[in-house]
Every structure is written in structure tokens, then in C-alpha cells.
Amino acid sequence: MIELEGVPELIDPVMVAAFEGWNDAGDAASTAVAHLEREWKGEVFAALDAEDYYDFQVNRPTVFMEGGVRKITWPTTRLSVVRVGGDKPRDLVLVRGIEPSMRWRSFCNELLGFAHELGVELVVILGALLGDTPHTRPVPVSGVTSDGDLARRMNLEETKYEGPTGIVGVLQEACTHAGVPAVSLWAAVPHYVSQPPNPKATLALLNRLEDLLDLRLPQGELPEDARAWQTGVDQLAAEDSEVAEYVQTLEEARDTAELPEASGEAIAREFERYLRRRDVGGPGGHATADGSDGGPYRRDAPSGRTRPPKPPKPEAPGAAEGDEPEGSED
């Protein structure tokens, strides 16, 4: 039994989770939850015992100084609560951590224990994968669920994915088996510029979450950061003719595949988001589209831009936006 102290009674709570690691290309998903914590000044009310789930040789603790005293921060998963104001207040339970090294079923059960005690009505898990998508176009974000009724009600895809999965997929299925409605939102990050950060993908995830929950989420400096990121990648791509040619191929494939999306639902979603913002005030490797490992997971990337690697010439122009990513069985 999980006993929570100091947490007020929540209003229509939704749990939003993201985990660093294989399911977090470009750090897009974990940065999205960290952004909400920072903008809303969320206070941590619970943390999972790091000893139970993490290999400290894989995810090492860090030492820091506080008031002249040396302290250690252990890698773990933490929970905080923020309240979204407006005409219809709602609470978000934010879960941010690292993909566990072991005991995944116990890890998911513990998170579901918190969800049950807090009365969580919906779990939304954010993820990001490497894909054949051009950095010059809007970031594709797919919403998937294992619940057919939920898919129809919230205009989501009912996943049919089979293959390797990460903690996002495992938690998604744990929610389904526990009878907790759960959705996964996946952003596609260009594989040729995969190093973090990727503020454009983070912003796309937050916009999709905003549409899903019909809430106004604070964007802060993300729009400006996203524009600066794209400008920087444009400049780097222009320096290499092979990369520029490859990006053009991806653009043509994407534009052809999305011609029907140029009107209708896409325009309606953008208009609804505009109205919401105008009227409401308020404050390792990675998964890839085919479920394979996207290569070495580079943490602590230097702040300076690096040249994107020359991509291999693909046999096909790239996966369509509707294709299921790793973990999309979630």
C-alpha cells in the first residue's frame, strides 16, 4: 500500500510520464515534462527507491556541493503535481525519470499504485524515436493506444505494433491490463541530427498533449529555441551537398504522403490551439521506426553544433508518419 502525505485532493488528475534513454531521442520527451515542471514550479512529492530499479554503473549518481556540503543525487524516477488553472482547473501528475535497468514489472506496478492512490483518470506517456523525417517540416507526432474504445473516442491510432519495446511500451501495457486508460504520444526526430537537445520535437509533443487534454500548456522560450535549432541545422545541412540532397528527398516523400492532411483536421487543430491561447490565460540508443537501436546514446552533448553525419542512401524514401514506432504497442 502506498500512502501519500502532503498531497491535496486532486481535480480530474492526468499522469504525464517520460523517461530518459531508448525512448527519448533528442531528449525530446523528458525535456517536455521537465519544461512543465519548471514553468509550473512543480514540487516533487515522491521518488522511487533507486536501489530497486537502477544499475549505478549504467546510470551513475552525481556529486554536488550545497552550502559547502557534498551531496549525492541518485538516478531515479520522481513524481510532482501541478495544477492547471482556468475555467476548468485540472491537475497533472508529472513523472520524470530514467528507463530502469531492472525489475520493469515492479517499476510499472509502483507507478500504477501512485496513479490509483491519486485517482488518476488517464495516463499519457511521451516518447521520441529516430525516423526518416526532414527537420524542415512539422514534427510528426503519433498518438496510439491499446484500447479500441479510447482510440475512437480520442481520435487515436489503435496500435498493431510487434517488436522490441522499451519502458514506454511496457508501462502502456501495464496500464491496459490494470484497466487504466493510457495513451502514448511519439515524436519523430530526424536520425541525421539526433543529438540533444531538440526543442522543435519537444514543442511538438507539448502541442499534441495540449490538444489531447484540451488544456493550455505554457510554451516559454520553446518556440524561439525551435526556430534557432532549425536555422542551425539548415546551415549545417547546406554545407554538405549529400545531406542537402537527402533532406530534399525526405521533404518530397513527406509532402506527397501528407497532401490530404494539408486541410481538414490539421487546420482545425491549429485553429483550436490559437483560440485556446488567445482566450485562456495562465502560466543509450534510441527507439527507431523499425524498433531497432538507433546507435550510441550520446548524453552531455557539447553546446556547440556538430556536423550532421552523412546518412546512408535509403532504399525507400522513409517511413510514413502513421507507421508504428518502437513502443507504439503502448
Side-chain angles (χ1 to χ4, degrees):
M1 174 68 69
I2 297 175
E3 297 182 2
L4 302 176
E5 297 181 359
V7 179
E9 184 175 351
L10 304 185
I11 302 174
D12 300 329
V14 174
M15 178 176 282
V16 180
F19 305 94
E20 299 175 17
W22 198 57
N23 299 142
D24 194 25
D27 290 359
S30 59
T31 300
V33 174
H35 172 82
L36 294 179
E37 286 181 338
R38 183 172 59 253
E39 291 292 319
W40 275 320
K41 297 179 173 58
E43 294 187 6
V44 173
F45 68 86
L48 277 59
D49 190 341
E51 292 277 353
D52 291 340
Y53 305 113
Y54 295 100
D55 180 348
F56 298 140
Q57 290 183 323
V58 176
N59 297 291
R60 293 187 177 274
T62 56
V63 179
F64 66 100
M65 299 293 293
E66 184 178 280
V69 179
R70 291 173 63 84
K71 295 186 176 182
I72 295 179
T73 297
W74 297 93
T76 188
T77 294
R78 296 177 172 84
L79 293 83
S80 59
V81 174
V82 297
R83 176 155 295 176
V84 184
D87 295 335
K88 297 180 179 179
R90 190 170 202 178
D91 290 308
L92 298 184
V93 180
L94 303 178
V95 179
R96 183 164 62 98
I98 305 170
E99 184 176 65
S101 308
M102 62 196 79
R103 303 184 68 216
W104 285 20
R105 285 175 291 187
S106 297
F107 179 87
C108 292
N109 288 337
E110 188 164 354
L111 288 180
L112 284 170
F114 281 109
H116 174 73
E117 287 296 315
L118 294 168
V120 167
E121 300 177 349
L122 175 69
V123 175
V124 182
I125 315 166
L126 307 183
L129 59 113
L130 300 178
D132 292 329
T133 183
H135 71 278
T136 53
R137 296 293 185 267
V139 176
V141 178
S142 57
V144 295
T145 179
S146 299
D147 186 326
D149 292 337
L150 189 63
R152 288 185 289 273
R153 190 166 68 249
M154 304 189 77
N155 193 26
L156 302 165
E157 299 175 39
E158 186 175 359
T159 180
K160 303 297 182 184
Y161 173 81
E162 295 178 301
T165 189
I167 193 59
V168 171
V170 173
L171 180 56
Q172 169 79 50
E173 291 308 304
C175 290
T176 300
H177 291 304
V180 179
V183 175
S184 294
L185 301 181
W186 286 92
V189 172
H191 69 84
Y192 57 89
V193 57
S194 59
Q195 63 267 30
N198 190 318
K200 186 173 181 179
T202 295
L203 182 61
L205 279 171
L206 289 176
N207 284 339
R208 187 69 175 87
L209 179 64
E210 185 176 75
D211 295 339
L212 182 74
L213 302 180
D214 193 25
L215 294 173
R216 182 184 183 277
L217 303 182
Q219 294 187 340
E221 298 180 356
L222 277 175
E224 182 180 346
D225 292 342
R227 287 190 292 269
W229 177 87
Q230 180 165 326
T231 299
V233 179
D234 284 342
Q235 294 172 349
L236 291 170
E239 296 174 3
D240 192 309
S241 59
E242 291 186 27
V243 172
E245 181 181 352
Y246 181 62
V247 171
Q248 184 177 2
T249 300
L250 294 179
E251 290 173 340
E252 292 171 355
R254 172 77 179 274
D255 294 344
T256 301
E258 293 192 349
L259 282 177
E261 186 73 6
S263 59
E265 291 186 4
I267 295 177
R269 284 197 302 269
E270 195 63 34
F271 183 62
E272 289 172 358
R273 188 180 300 125
Y274 163 76
L275 292 178
R276 186 161 49 234
R277 295 194 168 281
R278 185 193 66 176
D279 297 335
V280 181
H286 297 298
T288 60
D290 61 0
S292 62
D293 195 326
Y297 181 58
R298 287 178 284 183
R299 303 287 300 168
D300 301 322
S303 57
R305 298 288 183 186
T306 58
R307 178 184 294 274
K310 294 182 180 179
K313 295 292 184 180
E315 295 180 3
E321 178 178 350
D323 288 353
E324 301 269 345
E326 177 287 321
S328 286
E329 79 273 54
D330 36 53

